[in-house]
Amino acid sequence: MTTIIQNLCKLSQNIFSTFIRTNGGSNSKSMAVLDEQNILILKKLFAQLTLNDINFDLNELSPTISPSPTPSLSLAPITYTSIFQNEYFSLTIFGFRKPTSRIPLHDHPGMHGFIKCIYGSISIKSYTILDNVPVPNEILNKIPELSNPLCLVPSIYVGEDIISINDNYNQIGTLTPMDRNIHEIRPVTNQAIMADIISPPYTKLTNSYFYYYLDTIYDQHLDKNITWLLRTLDSRDYYCDTLNYRGPNIILV
Ligand SMILES: [Fe+2]
């Protein structure tokens, strides 16, 4: 009997192993275009995914080790489970243990992404990167310690999406190389769990890496529609622990 997780990975493999990336250079904004019909089928299937399909134990979201010694030992604010990954895509679970847990602003160079909430509700704040906007001196002057102006990335704040556990494909968050490529994700409920499909995945094999982004910088005299994001490799207080995947086997040939 095939399982939803098997079907989801098989469909992702079919889609992401065949679509063509038109740029081959250092430009991280791949112009790859995915077939809309295939993406709709993927989103509808992804929307059906539940905790039961991956055998995720909600006790794993407990913020402390239980039964705890004294004093109680806190666990990481976020737990991470890799369900499947190859050179074409990754399927990953993030469990938010606390209302203050968050995945800080980060980018997805040249990637497509799909996000499904499978427990509680999550907030996704997204930014779209702008090209060819020189950094105004008014912005540079705000951060005199900045050694490289290239670390300032112009963007448009797209907005905040709240997505909840729901089997409607409209509740699947999306990003592309050109749109909503930077985001921050946090739980809206006390705890929450999300799954994401990313293509190509963050791996050495695909030469994919990513940056975090710090404070947003404005100048009231400038174009308020542009948000300047400060790029960094430092993740500040973000850390996860990892859980092994305990769901059904996934076999792709
Ligand atoms: Fe992300």
Side-chain angles (χ1 to χ4, degrees):
M1 190 182 85
T2 61
T3 60
I4 185 170
I5 200 76
Q6 168 76 25
N7 289 338
L8 194 56
C9 287
K10 195 170 181 181
L11 182 58
S12 297
Q13 169 96 344
N14 289 344
I15 293 173
F16 299 121
S17 64
T18 56
F19 83 96
I20 299 168
R21 294 173 193 282
T22 54
N23 80 306
S26 58
N27 181 2
S28 63
K29 284 193 175 184
S30 160
M31 296 302 292
V33 177
L34 296 172
D35 180 86
E36 282 187 21
Q37 274 306 111
N38 284 339
I39 292 305
L40 184 58
I41 295 169
L42 179 70
K43 287 167 74 174
K44 285 182 174 177
L45 184 58
F46 199 15
Q48 304 298 317
L49 189 69
T50 68
L51 288 178
N52 286 340
D53 295 315
I54 54 174
N55 290 340
F56 192 99
D57 181 356
L58 278 179
N59 290 323
E60 301 286 5
L61 285 188
S62 171
T64 56
I65 289 177
S66 180
S68 63
T70 302
S72 62
L73 184 60
S74 292
L75 295 170
I78 297 175
T79 186
Y80 167 98
T81 302
S82 174
I83 292 184
F84 185 87
Q85 179 166 317
N86 63 12
E87 68 267 45
Y88 303 119
F89 75 97
S90 61
L91 175 54
T92 307
I93 300 292
F94 292 88
F96 299 90
R97 289 193 169 108
K98 304 175 183 176
T100 53
S101 305
R102 75 183 178 115
I103 303 174
L105 279 177
H106 61 281
D107 61 10
H108 310 75
M111 300 173 181
H112 292 259
F114 302 87
I115 300 163
K116 157 75 178 167
C117 182
I118 51 177
Y119 180 71
S121 298
I122 59 172
S123 151
I124 307 173
K125 287 184 177 173
S126 303
Y127 295 80
T128 289
I129 300 171
L130 300 174
D131 284 327
N132 302 320
V133 182
V135 187
N137 286 332
E138 290 88 338
I139 296 295
L140 277 176
N141 292 340
K142 286 178 180 288
I143 39 172
E145 74 281 6
L146 185 69
S147 58
N148 185 355
L150 293 177
C151 292
L152 279 167
V153 176
S155 69
I156 295 286
Y157 175 57
V158 181
E160 178 180 24
D161 292 316
I162 307 293
I163 62 174
S164 303
I165 179 169
N166 191 311
D167 61 4
N168 188 320
Y169 70 90
N170 287 321
Q171 288 282 300
I172 300 292
T174 60
L175 64 91
T176 74
M178 310 298 287
D179 186 41
R180 298 169 180 256
N181 196 264
I182 297 176
H183 62 202
E184 175 190 84
I185 305 179
R186 62 178 176 82
V188 176
T189 44
N190 282 340
Q191 297 175 319
I193 301 172
M194 57 162 271
D196 70 15
I197 297 172
I198 300 288
S199 175
Y202 296 106
T203 66
K204 287 181 182 172
L205 201 64
T206 55
N207 286 324
S208 296
Y209 56 91
F210 64 101
Y211 290 102
Y212 294 101
Y213 292 81
L214 298 181
D215 308 324
T216 57
I217 304 157
Y218 303 94
D219 186 295
Q220 59 183 353
H221 303 297
L222 299 174
D223 183 351
K224 290 180 183 171
N225 287 327
I226 296 181
T227 300
W228 291 88
L229 300 175
L230 187 57
R231 192 165 64 187
T232 175
L233 289 170
D234 177 11
S235 63
R236 284 191 175 174
D237 55 352
Y238 172 60
Y239 67 104
C240 301
D241 61 23
T242 57
L243 291 174
N244 291 330
Y245 171 58
R246 302 195 191 93
N249 284 339
I250 298 163
I251 302 169
L252 298 184
V253 290

